[in-house]
Amino acid sequence: MAAKPRTTMSVLAAVLATALVALAAFLGAHQQASASGADRSGGARELGDPDYGVCRGTSRACYHDWGNFTPATDGYRVLLYTRTAGPRHANLGTGLNPALVDANVVQNALVKMGRDNGFTVDWTEDVTQLATPARLFNYNAVVFYSTSRDTLDDAGQTALRQYVRGGGGFGGIHNAFGTEYNWPWYEGLLGGANFYDHGPNQPGTVVTQNRHDASTKDLPARWTFTDEWYNLVPAPSDVRVLATVDTSTLAEGVTGNQHHPGHGRNQPVAWCQYYDGGRAWLTTLGHDAKDFSTDGSFPGAAQFQKLVLGGIESAMGSRPFCASP
């Protein structure tokens, strides 16, 4: 007797059973990876899918040009903010006096960088100087350099957000990533990233991933630099990665002091994005006072300074921002 033809329902049941087997296999592999806390590249498994409720990414459609800046008549100005409410990096000096002293390495270096390249840098650790968006709109970019913890009060948070939404530029350098941990909007401003820990301060090879951007166009493909090599949770997402560290060149490894396993071989160290109407340029580099040396005694210092200069200039709009390869 000939076999009866299979019904539509029996065919669907077979297809569903096959799909369920495949799904179970996938979930089992995912759970195994989750248990280890790492992905197959050897880096940390990224947790969650942050959504900051704003337009963000590499498309200029996320930028608002609302006419808040007139550099043709006013020139370019940058506000450098270095207030710390927690750990303080030595290159900031012990505190700001009415006049800068030699120990204020970062502040002196950026003031000179601006003077040598045609823009003005004002510096402050007075949170009241960030109290209103109108005050911040006097600056084409606001740069946080190694700020820490809750460095802004409520007025400062509101002013920074409104400033960025009005087309302002933001630069976040080094421990700007160890700042405002409990403010999701600021985490998004950093590219959806936050400092978690770092490994030993050690030399490594920085790889320039995009040599079309203003901050990287004059850099070699690979260059030696010494830093703490921040591990991040979360790691940057929906950004244009500009430079990474080849972690295979870190002789002491990348595992952090709180056991973060790193981000795989090519760990991001500089990136850019449009965010909630403004521009944001970011780098985790910048730990050592010698980063600003000019005598050739610190490998990579000249490259780091070019990176920072181009990043600030692009964030404030005097050079093309976040250029694609």
Side-chain angles (χ1 to χ4, degrees):
M1 183 185 330
K4 294 182 179 179
R6 299 175 71 184
T7 66
T8 300
M9 290 299 295
S10 63
V11 171
L12 289 174
V15 170
L16 179 59
T18 301
L20 288 173
V21 170
L23 178 61
F26 170 79
L27 290 176
H30 179 71
Q31 289 172 352
Q32 186 175 17
S34 297
S36 70
D39 66 19
R40 292 182 180 179
S41 72
R45 177 177 58 86
E46 298 310 335
L47 304 175
D49 183 19
D51 180 2
Y52 301 97
V54 303
C55 186
R56 62 183 290 253
T58 58
S59 171
R60 199 178 185 282
C62 293
Y63 180 70
H64 298 157
D65 185 1
W66 287 346
N68 284 309
F69 307 96
T70 53
T73 56
D74 298 334
Y76 288 96
R77 301 183 70 89
V78 171
L79 180 63
L80 172 63
Y81 188 59
T82 55
R83 181 175 181 263
T84 53
R88 187 175 180 88
H89 280 68
N91 60 2
L92 299 180
T94 56
L96 290 185
N97 298 307
L100 296 177
V101 298
D102 289 346
N104 303 125
V105 174
V106 166
Q107 297 90 338
N108 281 312
L110 265 64
V111 168
K112 183 179 185 302
M113 183 180 289
R115 186 168 60 243
D116 291 347
N117 291 278
F119 58 94
T120 300
V121 175
D122 293 338
W123 44 269
T124 189
E125 292 189 356
D126 179 0
V127 69
T128 66
Q129 296 302 308
L130 288 78
T132 67
R135 184 169 291 169
L136 293 183
F137 280 128
N138 291 316
Y139 298 97
N140 305 88
V142 174
V143 175
F144 281 27
Y145 198 126
S146 286
T147 47
S148 66
R149 301 296 192 268
D150 294 331
T151 192
L152 295 173
D153 57 15
D154 287 347
Q157 287 185 343
T158 300
L160 180 64
R161 183 163 50 192
Q162 298 299 77
Y163 167 77
V164 169
R165 284 176 170 171
F170 178 81
I173 302 176
H174 201 51
N175 207 50
F177 288 87
T179 298
E180 298 290 338
Y181 277 104
N182 300 311
W183 184 21
W185 183 89
Y186 180 82
E187 179 177 277
L189 181 65
L190 298 178
N194 252 325
F195 170 75
Y196 182 77
D197 68 8
H198 62 74
N201 189 55
Q202 61 185 309
T205 299
V206 177
V207 181
T208 306
Q209 297 289 351
N210 175 357
R211 299 178 72 184
H212 296 267
D213 189 71
S215 63
T216 51
K217 65 184 298 292
D218 295 324
L219 298 181
R222 297 172 69 87
W223 43 286
T224 299
F225 194 63
T226 296
D227 213 283
E228 296 174 313
W229 312 112
Y230 278 7
N231 296 319
L232 306 167
V233 176
S237 59
D238 298 325
V239 300
R240 177 160 289 122
V241 174
L242 302 172
T244 59
V245 57
D246 180 350
T247 55
S248 71
T249 66
L250 301 178
E252 298 180 69
V254 73
T255 300
N257 52 2
Q258 297 184 59
H259 307 294
H260 191 298
H263 299 279
R265 175 161 180 163
N266 291 304
Q267 182 159 317
V269 298
W271 55 91
C272 56
Q273 64 164 351
Y274 293 99
Y275 185 79
D276 202 15
R279 311 180 187 96
W281 182 91
L282 300 313
T283 182
T284 60
L285 304 179
H287 170 72
D288 201 306
K290 295 178 183 177
D291 295 348
F292 293 103
S293 61
T294 57
D295 60 2
S297 61
F298 193 74
Q303 288 77 22
F304 172 76
Q305 291 166 44
K306 289 179 180 179
L307 179 76
V308 169
L309 172 61
I312 291 174
E313 289 181 327
S314 66
M316 70 183 184
S318 67
R319 296 178 69 181
F321 180 74
C322 213
S324 60

